[in-house]
Amino acid sequence: MNNVQYLEMFMLRARDQAQPANALVPPVVRRLSYAPLQTGEKYLIGALLVLTLTALLAPTMPAAAWHIPHFVDSRTFLGVPNAGDVLSNLAFLAMGVWGSERLRARHDAPVGANWFFVGLILTCLGSGFYHLDPDVPQRLIADRLGMAVAFAGFLGIAASERTSTRAGETVLVLAMVAGLLAAWVARENLTPWVVVQFGGMALAVGLALTRPRPGALGVPLGGVIVFYVLAKLFELGDVTVFEATGHMVSGHTLKHLAAALAAWPVIRALGSRPCTHQAAGRRLMSA
């Protein structure tokens, strides 16, 4: 074989080897392309824009002018001051750990579920730290930071359950950033925090009124919202509940318990049916 024939054979082999590689190009391009926005995603973007503009353009609500609540139950128990409001935060820890354990057995959990339970654990730490000495306003930041993480996780769950996985991921990131920034800015301006908390819950209510998307886990968003509203009512009736129960328990203590129970609908949904691969494994073992 002369040099010319050898060169021609080498070029043919190189062309044949390049064809399979070129065949992979179209799938890669398709994978990098973005699917058009769904109708629900467009509405969600519009709602997020409205909330963002409201947080940025609404009048400033100075934190110094905001009434700092005086919690009625200041009794000490086992050396813990304000024991009712401090120890009731353990309910957040219990629900957060329980939910995290449920997540370990599943691979089809909605977007944000892990952050939701992590946020509950952080809320236990932050709220407990705050209620040890609630007269120090700086401690309130720790309380709000944990709440912001849990709230972002819940909004991620709601968006992924009712709109799309892509929407859930987007809402989770945006709500996380907005919530953490609002909690920090609330030292001087409470407006962003109010928008994040109440505007975000209004968004969750809107999502709860829509049908779950195909393939969703089926988290009952309405149940979470009911416990949230109940917690707010207990918070407003701190003194009323304390007097009505003969000083046994305060409304704020019950607020913590009700807010922690808001995780129950999510945990229940996570245990409603096994993962597909687990169900298949059980069928094979029983065969």
Side-chain angles (χ1 to χ4, degrees):
M1 180 181 296
N2 55 35
N3 292 337
V4 175
Q5 291 175 330
Y6 179 81
L7 180 60
E8 290 177 351
M9 184 178 295
F10 176 79
M11 293 177 64
L12 287 173
R13 289 182 178 178
R15 185 181 62 182
D16 293 339
Q17 292 176 356
Q19 287 178 353
N22 293 334
L24 296 176
V25 174
V28 171
V29 174
R30 286 195 297 268
R31 195 180 305 121
L32 294 177
S33 64
Y34 293 93
L37 292 176
Q38 304 174 13
T39 302
E41 292 175 334
K42 293 178 181 179
Y43 284 125
L44 199 56
I45 290 174
L48 292 174
L49 287 176
V50 170
L51 292 177
T52 301
L53 291 175
T54 303
L56 294 176
L57 302 179
T60 300
M61 189 182 299
W66 190 259
H67 172 66
I68 299 176
H70 173 72
F71 304 105
V72 65
D73 190 1
S74 58
R75 293 173 295 184
T76 298
F77 179 70
L78 297 178
V80 179
N82 310 309
D85 293 343
V86 172
L87 298 179
S88 57
N89 284 290
L90 293 175
F92 291 113
L93 177 63
M95 301 302 279
V97 172
W98 187 12
S100 298
E101 286 298 316
R102 279 283 176 92
L103 283 178
R104 294 176 60 184
R106 308 194 66 109
H107 298 281
D108 58 345
V111 173
N114 54 341
W115 284 108
F116 177 63
F117 295 122
V118 168
L120 292 179
I121 297 173
L122 294 177
T123 299
C124 169
L125 300 176
S127 181
F129 174 72
Y130 166 61
H131 283 286
L132 283 172
D133 191 0
D135 293 329
V136 180
Q138 291 80 3
R139 288 177 174 247
L140 190 55
I141 299 175
D143 185 15
R144 288 172 174 156
L145 289 176
M147 293 169 57
V149 174
F151 200 57
F154 172 61
L155 289 179
I157 292 173
S160 64
E161 283 278 298
R162 301 305 172 94
T163 305
S164 67
T165 300
R166 176 172 61 180
E169 294 170 346
T170 302
V171 170
L172 172 64
V173 173
L174 294 179
M176 184 77 70
V177 174
L180 294 176
L181 288 177
W184 184 259
V185 173
R187 297 175 303 162
E188 300 177 355
N189 179 17
L190 281 171
T191 299
W193 178 252
V194 172
V195 172
V196 166
Q197 189 174 18
F198 293 100
M201 187 51 63
L203 180 63
V205 170
L207 290 169
L209 294 176
T210 62
R211 295 181 179 181
R213 66 178 179 84
L217 185 63
V219 176
L221 303 180
V224 179
I225 295 171
V226 167
F227 279 113
Y228 177 85
V229 173
L230 184 62
K232 281 297 177 184
L233 293 177
F234 280 135
E235 181 180 29
L236 295 174
D238 187 26
V239 178
T240 303
V241 172
F242 193 61
E243 296 296 335
T245 59
H247 297 185
M248 289 182 59
V249 64
S250 70
H252 203 86
T253 296
L254 293 182
K255 174 223 173 175
H256 291 161
L257 300 179
L261 284 174
W264 165 242
V266 182
I267 295 173
R268 186 172 182 272
L270 288 171
S272 61
R273 57 184 175 84
C275 296
T276 303
H277 72 276
Q278 290 180 334
R282 292 193 184 100
R283 288 195 297 268
L284 288 175
M285 292 176 65
S286 62

